[in-house]
Amino acid sequence: MTAKTGIILSGGMDSSCLAWWLKPQIAITIDYGQKAAKAEFEASALICNALGIEHHFIKVDCRELGSGDMAGTISSTHAPASDWWPYRNQLLITLSAMKAISLGVNKLLIGSVKSDSIHKDGSINFVEKISELLNLQEGALEVQAPGIELSTLELIEKSGIPLELLLLTHSCHKDIVPCNNCRGCNKHNEILYHLGKY
């Protein structure tokens, strides 16, 4: 089986830009019980259709394990921000790896950017450690975060993503319709403001 690159695609700005920039063969979108899952899938599907990327969808309801805006619950006492979901990136990488290995993927991309370092699982150290862990296991998957040292604006510029697709991304943490009152919406709107489109 020919080695392939996969991406965990949430339909948000960062992972969508990464998909546009590096054009992986496989995209995986996960409904893990987050409130915005339907909109994330629809946005991801639009990106995949535009790029001709093979799109896979995983549904595993982990809402009972969630915390904060994404789960629609009160944030955990450990939360560094309102959108913190315990071990979320670890969960998403593991679920994606379980699917990716059957598809011949040997490299899995995640859309972490510089500002994600507010969370431990958005840090360079986390990416290196989780990649090392997956590489130890059957399949020897490698995890990469090519945009981790870039801001979202820098990633947008580097990717060359068309504005019309960028406008279709979904960043709200609370709902399938932008609430304009969460960290995801605030970032989305701030980026569009900087681009002169809001």
Side-chain angles (χ1 to χ4, degrees), residues 110-183:
I110 62 171
S112 295
V113 293
K114 191 184 295 185
S115 61
D116 290 329
S117 63
I118 185 176
H119 301 294
K120 298 278 188 178
D121 64 3
S123 68
I124 292 172
N125 188 44
F126 172 82
V127 175
E128 290 173 349
K129 295 295 185 188
I130 196 94
S131 183
E132 183 181 339
L133 180 62
L134 264 64
N135 199 258
L136 278 174
Q137 300 177 72
E138 293 81 1
L141 269 171
E142 179 184 359
V143 178
Q144 292 184 357
I148 202 162
E149 295 185 331
L150 303 174
S151 69
T152 296
L153 280 169
E154 290 169 336
L155 181 57
I156 289 169
E157 182 178 353
K158 192 166 191 69
S159 73
I161 190 170
L163 179 62
E164 59 268 24
L165 278 178
L166 189 66
L167 291 171
L168 295 176
T169 59
H170 186 81
S171 301
C172 184
H173 296 155
K174 294 182 176 181
D175 210 336
I176 59 171
V177 176
C179 70
N180 292 312
N181 188 32
C182 69
R183 289 183 75 242

Side-chain angles (χ1 to χ4, degrees), residues 90-109:
Q90 187 172 333
L91 170 72
L92 299 182
I93 290 167
T94 299
L95 293 172
S96 296
M98 292 168 74
K99 180 66 178 177
I101 198 167
S102 69
L103 300 170
V105 170
N106 70 329
K107 184 191 303 178
L108 190 60
L109 307 177

Side-chain angles (χ1 to χ4, degrees), residues 5-52:
T5 298
I7 186 170
I8 302 175
L9 187 61
S10 71
M13 282 185 165
D14 299 326
S15 63
S16 297
C17 285
L18 195 61
W20 193 267
W21 172 24
L22 298 176
K23 298 175 175 57
Q25 293 95 336
I26 305 284
I28 299 169
T29 302
I30 304 173
D31 176 351
Y32 51 96
Q34 75 275 32
K35 294 179 71 65
K38 182 176 183 292
E40 290 181 6
F41 174 76
E42 290 172 355
S44 296
L46 290 170
I47 296 294
C48 288
N49 287 339
L51 287 170

